[in-house]
């Protein structure tokens, strides 16, 4: 269990102090945090809470959304928040098309430029920008970076350690070329996240993910590819699921741990 | 309007005789038919109805579903139905993963084998098998062929005219590499279909498509690519949308024509 990290969104309604206590009680020593609940509890308070509990923060989820008018300042704040929380990985979700735009290629070029613009600040803070390719079904409204190749092409314009890529099984599993590419990605893998693909998809397609093992993703194949790349970092379970969110946080953590043990 | 073809599913609840009469009245002389409503009205009756009205059938939608136990016989029947209806193009949707399977690569290999097994019968009937890559969000439950590359790799194992690929803007628009590849596809393009990407997606993600121009797909870019490939065949508008299906068929046809004229 030494590589397991509990991603906060998996038990979204769980308050931060309870989540921290629950993790300690369960012997979980790594968590991934999200910006909104951290801001709600207070950044410095959150940092102190996890630090005092002996937890390490594997990633801060998430920044990006480069079509927003204040993307530059907001992403710089996110980098600072990551540093304050003691994590070196900030997950970037690029955002979708600007309203009314059909210029997908242009939006993708803008992401590359935006990442480049953020690298100096990230470097100064000791934070790796982890570009996350999201499933192509989010290309319009959530993330124009849809494939491993697109994320890697941007990352490779920068030094290893400054810009990396997020491997999320949910977003990448459909791609027949991705496992070989992940296996060759070496230190570009900034973080490895597990969620499973279950159908039917719910309206809005955001909250119907499954715990690892509950869907049709071949998790073993992903583990082998990530291993081959030499990745030895944390493995986050990050599942957005309305049914999980109805359950008490402690039960969700237990179910997540059981699912993780079933596939790792 | 000479290239416009009205895909029957765009006005799904419209009965075949009314659809045929409505097309004639609107000056539309090409339709794409679906197997289920054709079977319901009767295959020979359907063929006579469209022929007597002076309509040509651009494609029969759709066969495939190669994970079904009777896939071989059923696809041979579909080929015969296409020939009876006087169309030379049968659209193939590969089907998803077998129940409980996580072997996506294996399912994809099976599609290639299944297509190869069907080619002799298709050749004898003068029918082109048009493999349709469906959006990756359908990879689990509807179509394991998710990309242009996967479809082309299978098609290229067979002579031009025997196996081709369906260009559907809805399924391919997110792919940053696809336009150049379509432009180089030459006679492999078996049919060209238009539908637009609108959000939010509905539950099940099947019936939330938009009429061309209503979403974020750059239709002009697709037209240029298909032109460059030398494709001069029909352009089907194939939209599955619950709201359209609430409206009278004649109104749907009028709206579809207006949308088509707006983007072509």
């Amino acid at each position: 269990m030494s590589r397991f990290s509990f991603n906060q969104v998996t038990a979204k309604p769980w308050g931060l102090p309870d989540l921290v206590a629950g993790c300690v009680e369960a012997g979980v020593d790594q968590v991934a945090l999200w910006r909104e609940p951290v801001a709600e509890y207070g950044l410095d308070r959150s940092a102190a809470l996890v630090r005092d509990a002996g937890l390490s923060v594997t990633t801060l989820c998430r920044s990006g959304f480069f079509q927003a008018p204040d993307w530059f300042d907001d992403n710089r704040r996110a980098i600072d928040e990551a540093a304050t929380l003691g994590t070196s990985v900030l997950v970037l979700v690029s955002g979708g098309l600007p309203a009314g735009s059909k210029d997908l290629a242009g939006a993708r070029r803008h992401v590359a430029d935006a990442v480049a613009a953020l690298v100096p600040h990230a470097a100064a803070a000791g934070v790796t920008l982890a570009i996350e390719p999201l499933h192509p079904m989010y290309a319009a409204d959530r993330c124009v970076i849809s494939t491993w190749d697109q994320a890697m092409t941007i990352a490779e314009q920068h030094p290893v350690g400054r810009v990396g890529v997020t491997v999320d099984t949910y977003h990448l599993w459909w791609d027949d070329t991705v496992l070989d590419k992940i296996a060759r990605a070496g230190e570009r893998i900034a973080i490895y996240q597990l969620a499973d693909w279950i159908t039917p998809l719910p309206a809005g397609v955001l909250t119907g993910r499954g715990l690892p093992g509950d869907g049709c993703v071949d998790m073993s194949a992903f583990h082998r590819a990530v291993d081959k790349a030499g990745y030895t970092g944390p493995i986050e379970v990050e599942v957005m699921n309305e049914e999980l969110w109805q359950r008490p946080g402690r039960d969700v953590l237990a179910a997540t741990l059981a699912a993780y043990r079933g596939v790792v």
Side-chain angles (χ1 to χ4, degrees), chain A:
Chain A
M1 207 171 76
S2 64
R3 296 177 69 188
F4 174 79
S5 174
F6 187 62
N7 189 298
Q8 177 169 32
V9 82
T10 306
K12 194 177 179 189
W14 214 6
L16 192 61
D18 288 339
L19 178 147
V20 167
C23 284
V24 169
E25 185 186 293
V28 169
D29 59 4
Q30 298 186 112
V31 289
L33 298 180
W34 279 57
R35 292 184 74 197
E36 296 81 354
V38 162
E40 199 180 310
Y41 190 72
L43 176 64
D44 292 327
R45 263 178 96 203
S46 299
L49 184 72
V50 292
R51 193 178 52 239
D52 294 349
L55 296 179
S56 56
V57 180
T58 52
T59 62
L60 179 62
C61 303
R62 62 205 170 150
S63 194
F65 298 97
F66 300 117
Q67 84 289 2
D70 66 335
W71 69 264
F72 185 65
D73 290 337
D74 191 57
N75 276 281
R76 287 163 58 99
R77 278 193 296 273
I79 290 165
D80 296 340
E81 290 163 23
T84 300
L85 292 166
T87 180
S88 62
V89 180
L90 175 65
V91 174
L92 296 187
V93 171
S94 70
L97 285 169
S101 169
K102 297 177 197 278
D103 184 9
L104 190 55
R108 285 166 171 164
R109 283 192 299 274
H110 173 62
V111 174
D113 294 344
V115 169
L118 292 168
V119 161
H121 193 74
V127 168
T128 301
L129 302 173
I131 303 171
E132 180 161 11
L134 255 54
H135 192 283
M137 70 186 175
Y138 300 117
D141 55 355
R142 190 163 294 269
C143 185
V144 294
I145 302 299
S146 307
T147 63
W148 178 261
D149 284 346
Q150 288 169 1
M152 275 295 275
T153 300
I154 297 173
E156 286 175 344
Q157 296 170 29
H158 304 282
V160 166
R162 288 288 67 82
V163 183
V165 180
T166 301
V167 175
D168 185 316
T169 57
Y170 186 81
H171 295 301
L172 300 171
W173 78 282
W174 58 273
D175 184 341
D176 60 315
T177 73
V178 82
L179 292 172
D180 288 341
K181 290 169 181 169
I182 290 172
R184 292 194 304 269
E187 293 175 273
R188 289 290 173 184
I189 300 174
I191 185 66
Y192 177 36
Q193 298 181 326
L194 307 184
D196 217 331
W197 186 274
I198 55 175
T199 57
L201 295 172
V205 298
L206 195 61
T207 57
R209 303 176 194 187
L211 287 171
D214 283 356
C216 55
V217 177
D218 183 349
M219 297 288 168
S220 306
F222 271 92
H223 298 343
R224 284 193 299 273
V226 167
D227 280 353
K228 213 165 171 181
Y231 178 80
T232 56
I235 304 176
E236 292 181 4
V237 179
E238 184 200 49
V239 177
M240 305 178 192
N241 181 297
E242 291 288 350
E243 203 188 317
L244 276 183
W245 291 346
Q246 305 291 321
R247 292 157 62 182
R250 191 164 269 101
D251 295 357
V252 175
L253 177 58
T256 304
L257 272 169
Y260 174 81
R261 290 184 179 120
V263 300
V264 171

